[in-house]
Amino acid sequence: MDKILESLLQSGHPPGLQKKLVEKLVTSASRPISESVCVNILQLSSKWVVNGNVTHLPASLGTKVFLSFSSHNRMVLEKYMSTDTLVLWMSTTNKTLLAWPETVKLIHGVLKLLFAHQSFTKLAHIVQRMAISYVREHPDIQVLSAIASLMLDFKHCIPHGDFTERFCIAIINDMAITEIPQDTTKFLGVVRDVKRVTDLLSFVMSNADGDCTRSSLKAVYGIIACTDDAVRPSIVLASVVQVVTMDVAVAVMQQLVTPETEDETLGVVANRMVDWLSWPLASNADSWMIALLRKLVAEQKYSIIMQLMDDRIVHIFEKLTIILVTSAHMNVLSFMLLSCQHSAQPFHKIVRQIPTMLRLLQRDGAATGYAKKLANLTYVLLHLHPGYPDLYEPMLERLQDYPRPTPEYIQQQIRDHQWSCEKPCIYQSTSVLLADRSETGKTGLVNLGNTCYMNTIIQTLYMCHDFRQLVTSSSSSSARRTILSSIETVFAFLAHSRRPAYAPTPFLTAARPPWFQPGYQQDCSEFLRYLLDQMHEEEVLVGKAATAAKSPPSRTSDGGLSGGNMSHASAVATTTQYHGDEPQQSGQRSERARSRAGMPELGSIVRRVFGGTMAYTCRCLGCGAISRREEVFTDIPLAFPVELVAGVSDIAVDRSLCALIKHFFQPEKMEGENKYFCNSCNSLQEAEKRIGVVRPPDNLVLSLLRFSYDVETHAKTKILTDVEYQRTLHLPIDARGAAGATYALFAIIVHSGTSSECGHYYCYARSNRRPNADALDRLRARSGGGNAEVGVDRLAAHSGGEAAAADADVLEDEWCCFNDDRVTFSRYESFGSVSKHFPRDTAYVLMYRRVDSCDVASSPPLVAESREETGSLLSRTLRLAVDTDNAAFIKEQEHASKRRRLGSAGVKSLPYWRDDDRGGGPPGSCGGGGPGGGFDSPIRFVC
């Protein structure tokens, strides 16, 4: 029979026929044969399995032949299986990878047959002694599975003592190079093999001392911490962590993750642990991932976490569709997004995909519960990061299918996931910083730590053509013009930078008011007043210095800023008292009075663009004497009448912007404790006070006074009343024979939130350079050619031609939404409906451009607004700075592209991560409309 087997193995029969003949031979194994024949058969079949060079037939068939004849000839087997034979088997290197597991299976079968024999103990000792070397020399998951099956059946074979630790590490090293097949059948086979190996590790570690477990975990950490781009540890390593309790895991992390640990190493570890979440056998990989994140927070390694979310948040989100690993990915996704309370960017990377994901999860009956969890998470994040209507509005319809969580639940989720930090941290996503420019061709601004209030002001001023051109064409060589120089630099980068977002750090340093605490949300209207005032002051001082250098000093007033509620750009120009209705010429009295007072005319950039003149008139009701005072203003603050405050009255009232303007110009009677001192009467008298515009500005700034102090709660509250905003606005002029000024809307700053001390600012804006000629002609025709007097009472009219004129649009209808680093195309209708979908998002500052005085025919073509023209106005120094930064940006993109190709998870470069102003306080970005959130932040800041 041995000769028959030998002939079959050496025959040239087709493999199929050859296999059938060998299987037929196996059926005759129960027949009595001589010892020599049996030994020959065992030698042939063992060489077939161990050496792999006897035949092309599968090694599993050789194992079957050997064990079949051995089971019927056990005495022969015991003589044949000496310790030398077993050592030879385990020392032989078989080049056929598929035959490796069969050698272990052959040994396993032999041990089963000889379990009751005296030779078993010696053979088991050989296996125990050579197991480590065999595992190292045969790195294959099927080999490990076969060894696991053998040792779980015969625990005598497991290495003992100090060798247990080495054995576990050898297994872990082999698991680290296990490839995951794409074929489903093969993949399930790998899953079964890994499960068996994991069972062996679990048994070994549970019966060994703690040093074995800790050493094994350190070995895992060493593998996944390798920063070599060529090293790709297999995700099956995730199976190792499920055999370790979390208390042990946390203890090991305390030892391995320290302040001295390289950021690059920790970044690699975190990325590979994210991959672990996709392994179906890693039942607690999410707990490990969250434990690592908590440890990174404890060590203040925030940049690693932010880079991780930037790189992997989309990957984690997309894995929610795989039901076997949905739970793990949902837990980590929720932890990351709820913990990242200082930046909305990770949430925004997935927000457009949420409706589709909800639909997919809802369609899968087993994942319905996860759909509800995702909806709840989304509601919390919408509360946490308000102020992005262009992103959120498409998602609201899908969310209507899920009940909104209670406010208590939302606040509890925010509080439970707060990070702790002693210093503020500012991080900007590298995917944002290194992305292509917006499709709008415009550049965003990096949020430097709750600086959305500043970013919106910069963008609206940039979209004001006259202001931008005057700033970029001015000479800013003087060292005293710090704010003008810095805003000129910002405008240069906004126009010519290749980056999608520019970080205006120098401008923030120069322009931030002294009382603005770094890192906290501020009032953008207050910042705008301060900025314009300071810019005007700088130009006045520079002009004085230039004049003093050419001529002797004069004793004239400098016309400095007076401040006050209306942020007037000058002190009182003149006060005149007269009786009756003395004739006036619009603007002439003001300029003559200013000249007599030695005050400068409206020559600064700020006054040329935004400056107008307001007249304050008081008429004594006793003698009729009139006192008149004129001041320069740069914005008009509009208060809300009592009947317009939400919840005060149900009376149907005019909620238009015109109604607020009318309320501002409404005459006020001065009586009681507020009586007027009349110089003619030389006593306190009742009087009537009026306010009127005598010289309208070229660009009108309207600030809505939405914030008030609540004496009961001792906090600033916000008036959420929705207002109708006209695209075309008429402003009355307080002068006989003067026509009202007509303005077109070009910028709206929106505040999202419930208080001036929290929330988020973004803006809608368009270029205000060139009015549409046809629309302007139609507007003039509707308003009677623009020559009719426009009084205060006319502002309330909304019928016929007036209503049509208010709806007319005379500027190019090319709106953009500026939201920090995000710049997107938008429409006026988007702004008009934003408060309906997001009640906390309300207009706060509006900017209008005067159009009734425009000569469209003489206006330069719109193409003159191109980047080339603006570039011609830049100084050589600025052009060089922009060009240098653009070259650096190209190199950064190349580096990022190389890093993505190599798949490196390192974070050697962490842009925009710093301790802003080296002070305490909350971290970057902004958001939130209520208490809670951020790095132990006070109620003042919600992020």
Side-chain angles (χ1 to χ4, degrees), residues 510-525:
R512 180 169 50 210
W515 60 91
F516 276 20
Q517 186 174 354
Y520 284 86
Q521 185 61 278
Q522 305 293 346
D523 189 326
C524 78
S525 178

Side-chain angles (χ1 to χ4, degrees), residues 463-464 657 697-702 725-731 741-748 765-772 775-776 779 805-813 815 828 846-854:
M463 295 302 287
C464 181
L657 184 63
D698 289 341
N699 293 271
L700 177 65
V701 179
L702 300 176
Y725 306 96
Q726 289 73 39
R727 280 182 284 189
T728 301
L729 186 70
H730 295 281
L731 187 71
T742 303
Y743 291 88
L745 180 67
F746 75 89
I748 312 108
R766 59 178 171 172
S767 173
N768 72 346
R769 175 168 191 172
R770 181 179 173 85
N772 183 290
L776 189 58
L779 176 65
D807 290 337
D809 195 7
V810 298
L811 295 179
E812 298 294 335
D813 192 21
W815 291 88
Y828 174 79
L846 298 100
M847 291 190 182
Y848 286 82
R849 186 242 171 122
R850 188 175 182 182
V851 294
D852 57 355
S853 60
C854 292

Side-chain angles (χ1 to χ4, degrees), residues 505-533:
T505 307
F507 176 78
L508 175 62
T509 303
R512 180 169 50 210
W515 60 91
F516 276 20
Q517 186 174 354
Y520 284 86
Q521 185 61 278
Q522 305 293 346
D523 189 326
C524 78
S525 178
E526 182 182 4
F527 175 73
L528 175 62
R529 295 187 190 110
Y530 175 82
L531 176 65
L532 296 181
D533 289 351

Side-chain angles (χ1 to χ4, degrees), residues 265-323:
T265 300
L266 293 175
V268 171
V269 170
N271 268 276
R272 285 168 178 166
M273 287 183 68
V274 169
D275 293 334
W276 285 3
L277 301 175
S278 300
W279 183 243
L281 297 182
S283 58
N284 62 348
D286 53 334
S287 299
W288 274 72
M289 185 75 244
I290 292 173
L292 175 62
L293 293 175
R294 291 186 186 278
K295 179 59 178 173
L296 292 175
V297 169
E299 297 296 340
Q300 298 188 16
K301 302 279 188 178
Y302 301 108
S303 57
I304 300 173
I305 303 175
M306 292 306 303
Q307 185 70 59
L308 178 71
M309 285 191 282
D310 188 38
D311 292 341
R312 307 305 299 275
I313 200 72
V314 174
H315 166 86
I316 295 171
F317 179 80
E318 292 174 346
K319 292 294 182 178
L320 295 179
T321 57
I322 305 176
I323 192 63

Side-chain angles (χ1 to χ4, degrees), residues 11-218:
S11 69
H13 296 309
L17 176 60
Q18 199 176 16
K19 181 179 179 181
K20 288 182 179 179
L21 293 175
V22 173
E23 289 176 342
K24 186 175 181 180
L25 180 65
V26 171
T27 60
S28 62
S30 59
R31 299 175 184 175
I33 56 175
S34 65
E35 181 178 341
S36 59
V37 171
C38 183
V39 169
N40 288 337
I41 292 175
L42 296 182
Q43 286 180 340
L44 281 173
S45 56
S46 62
K47 286 183 179 179
W48 178 358
V49 175
V50 177
N51 292 0
N53 57 0
V54 176
T55 179
H56 295 293
L57 292 175
S60 58
L61 187 56
T63 301
K64 187 175 182 181
V65 171
F66 186 97
L67 296 179
S68 295
F69 282 92
S70 296
S71 62
H72 295 285
N73 299 272
R74 299 198 182 193
M75 297 301 295
V76 177
L77 174 64
E78 187 173 14
K79 293 180 180 179
Y80 176 78
M81 279 305 303
S82 64
T83 55
D84 292 338
T85 301
L86 183 56
V87 169
L88 180 63
W89 283 6
M90 297 188 70
S91 302
T92 302
T93 301
N94 190 333
K95 295 182 180 180
T96 307
L97 181 63
L98 295 177
W100 288 358
E102 288 304 319
T103 300
V104 181
K105 292 178 181 179
L106 180 61
I107 297 172
H108 191 182
V110 169
L111 292 178
K112 285 183 178 179
L113 294 174
L114 299 179
F115 181 69
H117 294 255
Q118 294 181 351
S119 59
F120 173 81
T121 302
K122 294 181 180 180
L123 295 176
H125 180 71
I126 295 297
V127 173
Q128 181 190 87
R129 191 182 67 183
M130 300 188 66
I132 298 175
S133 60
Y134 194 84
V135 168
R136 290 173 177 170
E137 294 168 5
H138 300 81
D140 179 69
I141 192 62
Q142 292 185 4
V143 173
L144 295 180
S145 177
I147 290 176
S149 295
L150 184 156
M151 293 187 173
L152 288 173
D153 281 348
F154 304 107
K155 299 180 176 59
H156 316 72
C157 299
I158 298 175
H160 293 164
D162 296 338
F163 295 100
T164 305
E165 180 181 310
R166 299 181 189 178
F167 178 62
C168 291
I169 293 175
I171 292 178
I172 289 170
N173 289 333
D174 283 3
M175 294 177 70
I177 60 174
T178 299
E179 296 183 1
I180 306 299
Q182 297 299 315
D183 180 76
T184 303
T185 302
K186 293 180 179 179
F187 172 75
L188 293 176
V190 170
V191 171
R192 287 191 294 269
D193 290 337
V194 173
K195 175 65 170 61
R196 197 168 292 116
V197 176
T198 303
D199 290 341
L200 173 62
L201 287 175
S202 178
F203 175 82
V204 172
M205 291 184 185
S206 62
N207 288 276
D209 55 26
D211 290 341
C212 177
T213 302
R214 285 187 287 272
S215 297
S216 298
L217 290 181
K218 289 180 180 179

